[in-house]
Amino acid sequence: MSDFGSILLWVVYPYAMLISFVVGLFVRLTWFRGGITAVSSEMLEKRKLMIGSILFHVGIILAFFGHILGILIPKTWTDALGISDSMYHLVGSLMMGTGAGALALAGITILTYRRFTNARVFLTSSFSDLMVNVALWITIILGLASTLSGPFFPHFDYRTTLSVWARSLFILQPQWRLMANVPLVYKIHVICGFAIFGFFPYTRLVHAMFMPWQYIFRRYIVYRRKPRVGR
């Protein structure tokens, strides 16, 4: 790939998706907050929704924080703590990452199957709903494939290439050349992941950003029984 193509893919595209994420959240929060909802279809089918939703949410939350830690914590920090590369990859990446990805994949597979095969759920789904399910399913599969492909790329270390590139985006000094020798499966996973971030505010996924924190900190509601009127 030419330098121009690499800059488009690993500099322009990530920033475009991040800007879309931030601007989209601002617009939804400012002018369309009333439309922020998960649009539950529980009344149409409950069993698959409950199982798939629990598996997906637990898995995706663990995978999300795993990605954050893998990107934000430099290799030099784990080296200073005496954590060897083999232990880091075995415990952190392979065992925990695979476990979280497997849960998320099982959940999104159930939810996607439900949305496409249940006639009532399918008919009440928007095009955006269908595409979100498919996009998440593909991205999670690519993430698992990236994790499990480690033995096939023994000389590749994402913490000295991909993670450094990701951190460089946030300090506005993108080191796009670090992505040159990253395996293709990782690159496609990154591209799909940024696409989900870019379109996140314009889909039902946005409800995850607006948890009603007021329910946690509000005062207790006291219910009093209506006194009986004596006869």
Side-chain angles (χ1 to χ4, degrees), residues 95-174:
M95 294 177 62
M96 298 179 65
T98 302
L103 286 175
L105 179 60
I108 197 62
T109 299
I110 293 172
L111 295 175
T112 303
Y113 176 81
R114 170 184 178 271
R115 189 168 294 280
F116 278 88
T117 60
N118 187 296
R120 293 190 299 172
V121 176
F122 180 81
L123 290 174
T124 56
S125 300
S126 66
F127 178 77
S128 171
D129 296 335
L130 300 175
M131 290 301 99
V132 162
N133 275 69
V134 173
L136 286 171
W137 187 70
I138 292 173
T139 303
I140 292 170
I141 288 178
L142 289 169
L144 269 174
S146 300
T147 300
L148 297 175
S149 67
F152 298 98
F153 305 104
H155 301 296
F156 170 70
D157 186 354
Y158 74 88
R159 291 194 297 163
T160 60
T161 52
L162 199 157
S163 292
V164 177
W165 163 77
R167 291 198 298 271
S168 72
L169 293 176
F170 292 98
I171 61 174
L172 304 181
Q173 295 179 354

Side-chain angles (χ1 to χ4, degrees), residues 46-62 100 103-108 110-111:
K46 187 172 182 179
R47 185 170 180 272
K48 293 186 181 69
L49 176 63
M50 180 181 67
I51 296 173
S53 183
I54 292 174
L55 291 175
F56 171 73
H57 282 90
V58 171
I60 205 68
I61 289 172
L62 293 175
L103 286 175
L105 179 60
I108 197 62
I110 293 172
L111 295 175

Side-chain angles (χ1 to χ4, degrees), residues 15-31:
Y15 281 130
M17 293 298 100
L18 291 174
I19 291 172
S20 174
F21 178 80
V22 173
V23 173
L25 284 183
F26 176 78
V27 171
R28 288 295 296 270
L29 180 60
T30 305
W31 289 290

